[in-house]
Amino acid sequence: MGLTINAGGNPVSVPPLHKLWAQQDGYAWSRNPDNPIPGWPAHWLVVAQEGANPWSPSPSAPRCVHGRARTHGGAGSREAMAVVHARVVKAQDLYEDASDPGSVAATRYAVRVQRTLRGRAPAAFALHRQKTSARLPMDTAERYLLFVSSDASGRYFVDACSNSARLTEAWATLKALAASPNGK
């Protein structure tokens, strides 16, 4: 028997043990185990998913186990438009109901780029973060490594499982980026 946890945002699903191997499709391999996905370490075992975001208990796996500048996930794969070092300069909560302080639906962060590592990003931009279980917690005045994307309306966001992290916690990802000339 599997387990599904509904805690706001996408549910977290843990498959039953007999379906664990099939859970690796789209992460460790594509369509069958004879087609491994390049860059996915063999010891990373996906044991749960939040939406399409995998989770691995491996101590060497990043907070979420998507790879470098590309996020894996079969048909849902996409590239971040930019990878940057940035500082959060302001945070503003956005409410579903302005009269209810507990109804925060999202947070808008004012971000100032300090260094662009891949792609192109404005020197300063607003980053939108939905209030879901997959969000990247961010604090004003802190520096982050951000894998930035934009939606169809041009709003910037960070996929919580894109290896974005507080800069002081991102050394393994920075090392992987430095070792890869094209960030993939």
Side-chain angles (χ1 to χ4, degrees):
M1 177 185 298
L3 172 69
T4 299
I5 303 166
N6 290 304
N10 292 323
V12 175
S13 300
V14 180
L17 187 57
H18 71 279
K19 292 185 177 181
L20 191 60
W21 187 242
Q23 181 88 15
Q24 308 317 299
D25 185 16
Y27 301 110
W29 39 268
S30 179
R31 297 201 172 95
N32 80 56
D34 295 328
N35 296 322
I37 293 177
W40 187 271
H43 65 280
W44 286 2
L45 180 68
V46 175
V47 297
Q49 285 182 274
E50 184 272 331
N53 298 324
W55 186 83
S56 172
S58 171
S60 66
R63 188 173 49 81
C64 294
V65 290
H66 288 180
R68 299 184 198 107
R70 170 174 276 289
T71 58
H72 297 291
S77 295
R78 64 184 174 277
E79 295 280 341
M81 62 176 256
V83 180
V84 299
H85 288 187
R87 181 179 299 276
V88 174
V89 294
K90 182 180 177 185
Q92 175 188 9
D93 288 335
L94 305 173
Y95 297 91
E96 290 178 16
D97 177 356
S99 66
D100 178 5
S103 69
V104 175
T107 304
R108 182 180 302 127
Y109 295 97
V111 175
R112 185 163 294 126
V113 173
Q114 297 179 317
R115 183 172 172 214
T116 300
L117 301 171
R118 300 279 191 268
R120 299 174 101 176
F125 57 92
L127 189 66
H128 188 84
R129 182 195 78 189
Q130 289 295 120
K131 184 180 179 184
T132 69
S133 60
R135 68 188 176 275
L136 171 67
M138 294 173 53
D139 297 311
T140 303
E142 288 292 334
R143 295 183 332 151
Y144 294 87
L145 175 66
L146 300 175
F147 286 69
V148 181
S149 296
S150 65
D151 62 19
S153 67
R155 185 169 55 182
Y156 296 105
F157 68 93
V158 171
D159 182 343
C161 287
S162 64
N163 288 338
S164 294
R166 191 178 302 262
L167 197 55
T168 57
E169 299 168 0
W171 296 111
T173 304
L174 288 167
K175 184 177 177 183
L177 282 167
S180 176
N182 63 0
K184 295 180 185 176

